[in-house]
């Protein structure tokens, strides 16, 4: 029996992976070849998708990008035995894009059958949980704290501190909530992991539950992620059957169970308190703090809220030890960060590296520069509310503090590239327009300020009293930053201010009154 791997990842499916899988099955049946097709995750090299792999005695051999019409020719060339073909890529592990990464969180993604508990365990899965079940809860929290893990969702808050607070708060019920409402532009790491290695997230959340005394968890998944939702549900069911979830996790006498919830289709529900409202069946509205969710969160109970990549890093820490994880990275940014390359980039995809490489390195050495071949003018890091970095700042290290020192943020690790044809005044306008559309409306600075911001920029680019309106724009950014209830309004000025600082000339491009 020959095993062929065809990705089920949404990016690969959008490029025809389902058709390729059906064509391989039909061709195998026609040629009477014994073929088992496994729908694996993506390796994260999207320009090669759908990338099909064949298990041979010499190891796995990759071909890509494969179209449905290529399948007959591949069979004729003997691809089931790793035969030569124009689409042959060889050993995928030797492709420089993948070989030069440091994959901890995504170590199994694209390799294992994502829905097989046995395959997950065979590749080191659930070892972290096994170790955690031998430890006291406080010891688990200490390991996570000592690893230096910080929230990968945007704020970079130390994960161990959240867990310690929930552990120390007495309650008859505690919850673990995973924020999988991945809404930032140019980000897809959460989706990739839920589709390609969902049991890793399940294991990480289970360890969190054991650590803080929570018996119930929820995964709040973005509504635009139907494949991720389906994969997670099958994986949860499989984990329950094998005893990794339920009333008696691995025979330990400790209970932890998981449920999925589909998101409400609102960007603001990526904010943790708004997410909690949505989980409770309410309209997603930001809650004032205090109280913190760690003390009074879901249904008023102590709640650990982390995002997918934060929970997914935990099994490695409990398996390999805090020091192993901490030895990756720099400064206060420890471990690895899954970076997502998008926009005007030649080789878009996922790059997991230890903190410390520069923006220029990840864009040039992995991304290959712009797809258009034109010079890079701006790079937005951290989603639609992240700053725009000019080419002169591309040597900034990818590190929470280094990014903040340049008036930017790392966020969820999304990196969106623009060439020199971009109109940066329009990008600044988009930040306000996006906020106006996605604001929950609870606080005036965000609700009204974002709408006024669009109007002010429209007047500036039309040449209407530019200098006076630029002064108004600066004041508006200050009010939104200082007065907004949450990061939605508070961070919207970040991309606007970066454009004012680095690309101010774009506000003077029109032929209107430049007074």
């Amino acid at each position: 029996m020959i095993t062929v791997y065809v990705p089920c990842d949404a990016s690969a499916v959008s490029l025809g992976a389902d058709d390729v899988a059906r064509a391989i099955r039909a061709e195998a049946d026609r040629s009477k070849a014994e073929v088992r097709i496994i729908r694996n995750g993506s390796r994260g090299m999207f320009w090669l998708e759908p990338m099909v792999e064949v298990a041979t005695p010499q190891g796995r051999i990759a071909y890509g990008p494969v179209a449905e019409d290529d399948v007959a020719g591949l069979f004729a060339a003997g691809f089931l035995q790793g035969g030569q073909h124009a689409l042959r890529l060889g050993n995928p592990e030797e492709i420089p894009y993948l070989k030069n990464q440091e994959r901890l969180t995504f170590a199994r993604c694209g390799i294992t059958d994502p829905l097989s508990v046995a395959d997950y365990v065979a590749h080191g899965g659930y070892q972290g949980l096994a170790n955690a079940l031998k430890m006291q809860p406080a010891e688990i929290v200490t390991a996570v704290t000592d690893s230096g893990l910080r929230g990968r969702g945007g704020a970079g808050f130390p994960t161990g501190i959240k867990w310690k607070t929930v552990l120390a708060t007495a309650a008859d019920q505690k919850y673990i909530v995973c924020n999988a409402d991945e809404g930032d532009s140019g980000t897809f790491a959460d989706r990739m992991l839920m589709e390609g290695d969902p049991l890793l997230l399940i294991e990480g959340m289970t360890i969190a539950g054991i650590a803080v005394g929570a018996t119930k968890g929820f995964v709040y998944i973005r509504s635009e992620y139907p494949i991720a939702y389906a994969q997670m549900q099958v994986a949860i069911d499989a984990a329950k059957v094998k005893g990794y979830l339920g009333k008696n996790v691995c025979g330990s006498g400790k209970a932890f169970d998981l449920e999925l919830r589909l998101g409400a289709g609102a960007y603001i529900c990526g904010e943790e308190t708004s997410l909690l409202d949505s989980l409770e069946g309410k309209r997603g509205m930001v809650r004032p703090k205090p109280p913190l969710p760690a003390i009074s969160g879901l249904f008023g109970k102590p709640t650990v809220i982390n995002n997918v990549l934060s929970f997914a890093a935990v099994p490695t820490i409990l398996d390999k030890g805090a020091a192993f994880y901490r030895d990756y990275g720099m400064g206060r940014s420890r471990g690895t960060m899954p970076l997502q390359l998008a926009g005007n980039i030649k080789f878009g995809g996922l790059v997991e590296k230890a903190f410390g490489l520069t923006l220029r390195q990840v864009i040039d050495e992995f991304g290959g520069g712009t797809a258009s071949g034109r010079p890079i003018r701006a790079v937005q890091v951290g989603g639609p509310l992240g700053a725009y970095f000019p080419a002169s700042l591309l040597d900034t290290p990818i590190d929470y503090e280094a990014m903040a020192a340049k008036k930017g943020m790392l966020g969820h690790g999304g990196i969106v590239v623009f060439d020199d044809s971009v109109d940066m005044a329009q990008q600044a306008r988009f930040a306000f327009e996006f906020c106006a559309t996605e604001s929950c409306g609870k606080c005036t600075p965000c609700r009204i300020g974002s709408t006024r911001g669009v109007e002010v920029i429209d007047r500036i680019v039309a040449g209407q009293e530019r200098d006076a309106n630029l002064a108004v724009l600066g004041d508006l950014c200050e009010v939104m930053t200082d007065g907004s209830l949450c990061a939605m309004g508070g961070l919207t000025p970040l991309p606007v201010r970066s454009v004012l600082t680095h690309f101010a000339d774009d506000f003077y491009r029109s032929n209107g009154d430049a007074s």
Side-chain angles (χ1 to χ4, degrees):
M1 179 75 71
I2 297 172
T3 302
V4 176
Y5 297 85
V6 182
C8 67
D9 180 90
S11 60
V13 169
S14 71
L15 294 166
D18 287 349
D19 294 333
V20 170
R22 283 190 289 267
I24 290 173
R25 169 52 58 205
E27 192 65 25
D29 291 345
R30 188 195 63 78
S31 60
K32 294 183 172 53
E34 293 187 0
V35 171
R36 177 180 62 168
I37 298 175
I38 291 179
R39 303 303 301 272
N40 60 325
S42 173
R43 301 260 194 169
M45 298 177 285
F46 291 152
W47 74 98
L48 297 175
E49 294 291 9
M51 189 174 81
V52 175
E53 299 180 39
V54 183
T56 74
Q58 294 74 41
R60 281 162 70 157
I61 302 296
Y63 298 80
V66 177
E68 181 181 8
D69 293 342
D70 296 320
V71 171
L74 284 169
F75 269 79
F79 102 110
L80 292 181
Q81 293 76 40
Q84 291 298 323
H85 188 276
L87 298 178
R88 190 180 191 275
L89 302 168
N91 180 355
E93 304 283 350
E94 293 300 318
I95 298 173
Y97 189 97
L98 193 58
K99 185 177 182 179
N100 294 330
Q101 296 187 35
E102 290 150 340
R103 290 204 163 185
L104 301 182
T105 301
F106 282 82
R108 275 177 295 268
C109 202
I111 295 175
T112 58
D113 178 347
L115 302 179
S116 169
V117 175
D119 204 11
Y120 181 70
V121 171
H123 287 80
Y126 278 121
Q127 187 57 54
L129 177 60
N131 292 341
L133 289 171
K134 300 172 187 175
M135 302 164 67
Q136 293 299 314
E139 292 177 314
I140 303 172
V141 173
T142 297
V144 173
T145 303
D146 291 348
S147 74
L149 177 65
R150 295 166 69 176
R152 299 294 190 249
F157 189 81
T159 303
I161 292 178
K162 276 189 180 182
W163 290 25
K164 185 177 181 180
T165 303
V166 176
L167 173 62
T169 303
D172 58 350
Q173 177 67 59
K174 298 179 183 180
Y175 294 104
I176 306 296
V177 173
C178 177
N179 182 350
D181 194 58
E182 185 176 48
D184 282 354
S185 49
T187 59
F188 43 80
D190 291 358
R191 175 191 60 73
M192 268 188 64
L193 192 129
M194 288 187 290
E195 292 171 356
D197 195 12
L199 289 163
L200 180 66
L201 173 57
I202 294 168
E203 182 182 1
M205 293 184 69
T206 306
I207 293 170
I210 300 299
V212 304
T215 58
K216 185 74 173 182
F218 294 92
V219 185
Y220 187 92
I221 299 180
R222 188 182 183 200
S223 61
E224 293 87 349
Y225 284 176
I227 297 176
Y229 187 90
Q231 291 283 99
M232 282 296 300
Q233 188 60 66
V234 175
I236 287 172
D237 292 343
K240 288 180 180 179
V241 169
K242 297 296 184 180
Y244 290 102
L245 288 173
K247 296 180 179 179
N248 186 20
V249 174
C250 298
S252 66
K254 297 179 179 179
F256 186 75
D257 213 344
L258 272 179
E259 289 185 22
L260 300 184
R261 290 292 184 271
L262 200 60
Y267 181 80
I268 193 62
C269 287
E271 194 279 333
E272 62 181 14
T273 64
S274 182
L275 183 153
L276 291 176
D277 266 13
S278 184
L279 264 179
E280 292 176 2
K282 307 169 187 174
R283 177 184 175 186
M285 299 281 282
V286 174
R287 300 178 183 178
K289 301 176 188 176
L292 295 171
I295 296 171
S296 179
L298 186 63
F299 302 117
K301 302 297 184 180
T303 304
V304 169
I305 308 179
N306 287 124
N307 91 319
V308 172
L309 300 182
S310 304
F311 283 123
V314 169
T316 298
I317 294 167
L318 269 295
D319 178 14
K320 305 292 186 182
F324 172 86
Y325 193 80
R326 189 176 61 242
D327 284 347
Y328 290 85
M330 63 177 284
R332 291 177 53 212
S333 301
R334 313 311 305 179
T336 60
M337 183 69 193
L339 304 165
Q340 298 123 89
L341 285 171
N344 192 335
I345 192 78
K346 190 173 183 182
F347 302 125
L350 182 125
V351 177
E352 184 178 356
K353 288 285 289 184
F355 288 97
L357 79 165
T358 66
L359 285 171
R360 191 182 308 279
Q361 284 176 299
V362 72
I363 291 168
D364 290 347
E365 296 175 16
F366 289 93
T370 63
S372 63
R374 298 173 66 94
I376 292 173
R377 184 158 192 245
V379 176
Q380 188 176 36
V381 184
L385 307 183
Y388 291 96
F389 280 58
S392 60
L393 290 181
L394 293 186
D395 290 317
T396 302
I398 295 174
D399 163 90
Y400 290 109
E401 281 66 46
M403 299 292 289
K406 300 299 182 182
K407 309 298 183 185
M409 67 175 187
L410 180 56
H412 190 46
I415 299 174
V416 181
V417 179
F418 300 83
D419 71 12
D420 61 357
S421 65
V422 67
D423 184 336
M424 294 306 298
Q426 290 303 311
Q427 293 303 120
R429 183 187 189 279
F430 171 74
F432 280 127
E433 183 181 35
F434 180 83
C435 182
T437 301
E438 298 293 346
S439 172
C440 77
K442 190 164 188 175
C443 70
T444 302
C446 179
R447 182 182 70 252
I448 303 300
S450 54
T451 300
R452 296 290 87 85
V454 173
E455 296 168 354
V456 171
I457 289 182
D458 283 344
R459 289 198 292 270
I460 292 170
V461 298
Q464 299 174 16
E465 299 181 327
R466 277 203 179 105
D467 291 342
N469 278 303
L470 282 167
V472 171
L473 184 62
D475 290 344
L476 183 60
C477 287
E478 184 176 352
V479 169
M480 291 184 68
T481 299
D482 295 342
S484 296
L485 187 59
C486 80
M488 180 80 219
L491 290 178
T492 292
L494 193 62
V496 179
R497 282 172 160 165
S498 67
V499 173
L500 288 169
T501 300
H502 302 295
F503 309 98
D505 289 351
D506 283 26
F507 287 107
Y508 292 88
R509 283 186 175 182
S510 79
N511 295 319
D513 174 20
S515 61

